[in-house]
Amino acid sequence: MSQATTMLPQRPRAFRRLSSDDATQEALSIRSPTVVVPPKHLMAPSDAHEIAAAMEFARHELEEFSSPMSSPETPPVTNVTDKYAFAFDIDGVLIRGGRPIPEAIEAMKVLNGKNAYGIKVPYIFVTNGGGKTEQERCIQLSKQLEIEVSPGQFICGHTPMREMASKYQTVLVVGGEGEKCRQVAEGYGFKDVVTPGDIIKDNPDTTPFRKLTADEMSNSRVRNFAEVKIEAIFVFADSRDWAGDQQIILDLLMSKGGYLGSRSETFNEGPPVFFSHNDVIWSASHDLTRLGMGALRLSLEAMYKAVTGMDLNTTAFGKPQMGTFQFATRLLKQWRRDTHGIDAPPETVYFVGDTPESDIRGTNDFNKESENTWYSILVRTGVFQEGTKPKFAPKATVDNALDAVLHGMELETKKAFKETLSMTSAKLAGTAIDEPSNESSPMISPKATEPADPMK
Ligand code: G3P
Ligand code: MG
């Protein structure tokens, strides 16, 4: 039973193939379409090349050109389906504590053509993780999953924050390793980026128990913060110093207009705080879940309340926020427009996640408002633990990313079969073809628990 494929339009487009061994942040920050390639595939594009390259172009068009590019004319044949796509969470689904989950490598092979139909299925990565540029995460994942990956396939928790770069002049960026978050923010176009290190360098008494390392001292920039108006605070990645970072954020929240060293009488004249996500827990290399950025957010709100008696309102990006899913839809829509000349996102997006509160909740909520179907699949390789009832019910629960891919492809096979059957019987009956609905009952993999409720 062949699954739906269409003629793929070809565009004269230049792009770079950089080996994941030598690809550097600098090389990747050059704004030209790039695919990061495991060295073994450098000479000859691998099966994963086509989707990585096409998604990279779609991303560049989204970012470079305000109006979506029209689709081309002359289509060559290819075996990339556009009927459906996969969106993968990373921590707890593909990667655990920096190491690939074995089934994830197999899952990528199946999506890149190693399946009974010989078709390729488009996929993107939607992670709340961050603290590195999409380019750098792309190098990392290419090495971990041994496949060609493009920055275009990547959506991090802070990716949509790029759209705020023109709104604020001087911003404080918190979290992550060393200077990385400042690089991410400057890469997004933020003009004047301050780090906690800069503030401690200016006034070491800011954090009584935290002294800058020699590296931090040399990387931190000299500023007189009594004269610097900090207009917004962005927590881009998990904090490496909860005490120091919260002290500095609180100083700004209680300041007069974002000037450090000043104190507001009303404690509500400080800059807004934006978190790149709200995961209270996440799955890292430890067997048990670890505290995440959402826990820092709760702690900060509790401390502000304790010190000022007032409630603190902060904003979170990332999953389950709709903005992240809307961004993913724009990317998939541009990809389908480019590659199949169809001005719509793939009919179904299978979102594979390990955290009910962010991955499943976001997918289910977005499914209610989206123009296409978003189908949530929960895996057992991360936060979600067997025997617990997920707070937000997935459409299906499976063991790992490979099972999730096989589950989605099985559904699509059944859908294609149903469509062909009804079209054939309609033809035989010589009657008009009526579009078969794409309603499908929630599927349960052999070892799956009963899913909550049917499709949308
Ligand atoms: O810090 C990131 C973590 O909270 C979750 O990442 O990939 O599971 O969305 P991910
Ligand atoms: Mg996860």
Side-chain angles (χ1 to χ4, degrees):
M1 165 67 56
S2 71
Q3 292 202 8
T5 59
T6 59
M7 311 288 279
L8 192 56
Q10 203 51 269
R11 283 190 189 196
R13 295 179 177 175
F15 64 87
R16 301 175 302 165
R17 285 166 54 76
L18 289 182
S19 153
S20 56
D21 276 0
D22 342 317
T24 59
Q25 170 50 35
E26 291 62 42
L28 276 169
S29 57
I30 299 163
R31 301 248 356 109
S32 82
T34 304
V35 173
V36 175
V37 183
K40 64 182 177 190
H41 292 310
L42 204 51
M43 301 321 292
S46 73
D47 292 338
H49 169 73
E50 193 162 0
I51 287 162
M55 217 54 86
E56 177 71 352
F57 283 124
R59 181 66 162 275
H60 271 264
E61 269 148 14
L62 269 184
E63 284 160 7
E64 310 285 333
F65 309 98
S66 57
S67 63
M69 306 287 280
S70 61
S71 44
E73 288 72 34
T74 51
V77 175
T78 180
N79 59 343
V80 177
T81 180
D82 66 318
K83 295 275 277 182
Y84 63 105
F86 277 81
F88 289 98
D89 169 48
I90 293 185
D91 291 305
V93 173
L94 304 177
I95 304 294
R96 190 81 201 246
R99 283 192 295 282
I101 295 171
E103 291 83 1
I105 293 179
E106 279 315 301
M108 294 297 133
K109 290 185 182 147
V110 172
L111 290 173
N112 287 308
K114 193 176 156 221
N115 55 66
Y117 317 103
I119 64 154
K120 293 180 180 177
V121 182
Y123 51 89
I124 57 174
F125 307 105
V126 186
T127 174
N128 273 352
K132 293 178 183 145
T133 62
E134 289 79 1
Q135 288 82 354
E136 226 177 316
R137 294 292 312 264
C138 173
I139 299 170
Q140 214 181 358
L141 198 67
S142 171
K143 287 179 179 161
Q144 290 160 327
L145 298 181
E146 302 159 16
I147 55 167
E148 303 193 29
V149 180
S150 67
Q153 290 174 287
F154 247 95
I155 300 175
C156 295
H158 43 59
T159 303
M161 286 175 164
R162 164 196 294 270
E163 288 154 8
M164 301 171 85
S166 53
K167 193 167 173 201
Y168 300 105
Q169 177 60 24
T170 303
V171 298
L172 170 68
V173 170
V174 175
E177 293 150 23
E179 289 287 299
K180 286 196 182 298
C181 284
R182 189 186 336 242
Q183 284 166 7
V184 175
E186 288 172 346
Y188 284 169
F190 285 96
K191 294 172 265 326
D192 182 11
V193 182
V194 170
T195 65
D198 299 349
I199 293 169
I200 299 169
K201 186 169 185 174
D202 175 49
N203 178 358
D205 300 332
T206 303
T207 52
F209 309 117
R210 161 105 159 82
K211 299 289 170 247
L212 295 182
T213 63
D215 253 8
E216 288 165 336
M217 190 57 94
S218 64
N219 287 330
S220 298
R221 299 173 184 173
V222 178
R223 308 280 295 267
N224 172 5
F225 283 102
E227 298 161 358
V228 176
K229 177 179 177 59
I230 294 178
E231 298 173 17
I233 301 168
F234 290 91
V235 183
F236 265 30
D238 291 307
S239 164
R240 269 55 173 179
D241 166 29
W242 280 44
D245 289 346
Q246 289 184 87
Q247 175 66 70
I248 289 169
I249 297 174
L250 274 173
D251 284 342
L252 282 168
L253 289 170
M254 297 159 70
S255 72
K256 228 173 172 31
Y259 290 94
L260 280 164
S262 70
R263 263 290 186 265
S264 155
E265 284 86 44
T266 56
F267 297 139
N268 59 359
E269 301 172 81
V273 187
F274 302 99
F275 289 85
S276 68
H277 69 85
N278 190 37
D279 290 350
V280 173
I281 55 171
W282 67 298
S283 59
S285 49
H286 191 285
D287 293 351
L288 303 172
T289 54
R290 303 291 82 185
L291 288 175
M293 188 187 291
L296 178 83
R297 186 183 185 202
L298 290 171
S299 153
L300 182 74
E301 289 169 355
M303 277 195 232
Y304 181 83
K305 178 84 174 177
V307 176
T308 68
M310 297 155 61
D311 292 331
L312 174 63
N313 292 320
T314 62
T315 307
F317 281 71
K319 302 164 289 182
Q321 313 306 325
M322 293 298 101
T324 296
F325 293 87
Q326 285 152 358
F327 190 92
T329 298
R330 287 202 294 278
L331 177 60
L332 289 169
K333 195 171 184 174
Q334 182 66 48
W335 170 83
R336 196 177 189 201
R337 188 183 297 122
D338 284 356
T339 55
H340 292 70
I342 298 171
D343 192 13
E347 289 162 21
T348 304
V349 179
Y350 294 93
F351 194 103
V352 186
D354 71 307
T355 308
E357 287 74 9
S358 58
D359 303 315
I360 305 306
R361 176 184 182 184
T363 305
N364 292 355
D365 290 353
F366 189 62
N367 186 44
K368 294 187 186 96
E369 66 169 61
S370 60
E371 60 187 293
N372 59 349
T373 298
W374 283 70
Y375 185 101
S376 53
I377 304 178
L378 182 62
V379 295
R380 294 189 182 92
T381 47
V383 168
F384 169 66
Q385 295 301 309
E386 188 57 31
T388 61
K389 188 164 182 344
K391 209 159 153 213
F392 299 92
K395 293 286 183 279
T397 306
V398 298
D399 285 352
N400 53 54
L402 177 58
D403 283 354
V405 166
L406 298 175
H407 173 77
M409 293 184 84
E410 184 191 337
L411 271 184
E412 292 297 325
T413 307
K414 287 195 168 74
K415 247 192 259 176
F417 182 74
K418 256 168 79 182
E419 277 167 17
T420 316
L421 208 62
S422 63
M423 281 149 80
T424 321
S425 46
K427 259 210 204 90
L428 292 171
T431 58
I433 295 174
D434 50 347
E435 276 304 309
S437 75
N438 62 1
E439 290 295 324
S440 61
S441 59
M443 302 292 292
I444 300 177
S445 85
K447 293 191 285 330
T449 52
E450 191 58 38
D453 57 14
M455 276 271 206
K456 177 165 88 169

